[in-house]
Amino acid sequence: MDSQERCSLAVLADTEGVLRLEQQAARLHYEVLEMADTFDDALSTLRREKLGLEAQIKLCEIRQLVHAQVSCVDNCTDRNTQELSLLQDFDKREVVFIEKRTAKM
C-alpha cells in the first residue's frame, strides 16, 4: 500500500471517527433533553402536590381556629354561668346581712 492509499484510509478513518462522535453527541444531546423534560414534569407534579398540601394545611388551621373559638365560647359561657351563680349567692348573702343589720338597729 502506498502512502496515498494510507493517507486516504487515515482520512476515511478520521471521517468515520468524526461521524461516530457526532452521532454520540446527538444521542447525548437527545438524552439530556429527555432528562430535562422528565425533570420539568416531576417538578410540575411536585408543585401541584405542594399547592394541594398548603391548601389542606390552611384548611386545618382554619378548622383549628374555629374549634378554638368554639371552645373559648363554651368556656366563657361556662365561666359566665358560674360567675352568675356566684353573684346570685353573694346577693342572697348580702340580703341576709342587710336584714340582720337592719334588725339590730
Side-chain angles (χ1 to χ4, degrees):
M1 195 182 293
D2 67 1
S3 67
Q4 187 176 8
E5 288 178 356
R6 280 190 218 151
C7 191
S8 295
L9 288 175
V11 168
L12 184 60
D14 286 345
T15 304
E16 288 176 5
V18 168
L19 288 176
R20 204 173 319 116
L21 288 174
E22 286 175 349
Q23 288 174 348
Q24 185 179 11
R27 184 179 47 81
L28 290 174
H29 180 71
Y30 176 77
E31 287 178 12
V32 167
L33 291 177
E34 285 294 312
M35 284 187 213
D37 287 343
T38 302
F39 177 81
D40 290 342
D41 292 343
L43 185 61
S44 294
T45 300
L46 288 174
R47 284 184 177 148
R48 280 191 302 275
E49 286 180 28
K50 180 184 175 212
L51 287 174
L53 291 172
E54 286 175 344
Q56 287 178 353
I57 288 171
K58 289 295 179 190
L59 183 60
C60 289
E61 288 174 348
I62 290 169
R63 285 182 181 158
Q64 186 178 18
L65 288 172
V66 168
H67 179 71
Q69 290 295 326
V70 168
S71 295
C72 182
V73 168
D74 290 344
N75 290 339
C76 291
T77 303
D78 290 343
R79 276 190 243 129
N80 289 343
T81 304
Q82 291 172 354
E83 188 176 336
L84 179 61
S85 177
L86 285 173
L87 288 173
Q88 289 171 344
D89 288 343
F90 288 138
D91 192 41
K92 289 177 189 175
R93 289 182 189 171
E94 185 180 16
V95 170
V96 170
F97 288 135
I98 291 172
E99 287 175 358
K100 286 182 182 180
R101 194 179 85 193
T102 305
K104 286 184 181 181
M105 292 180 159

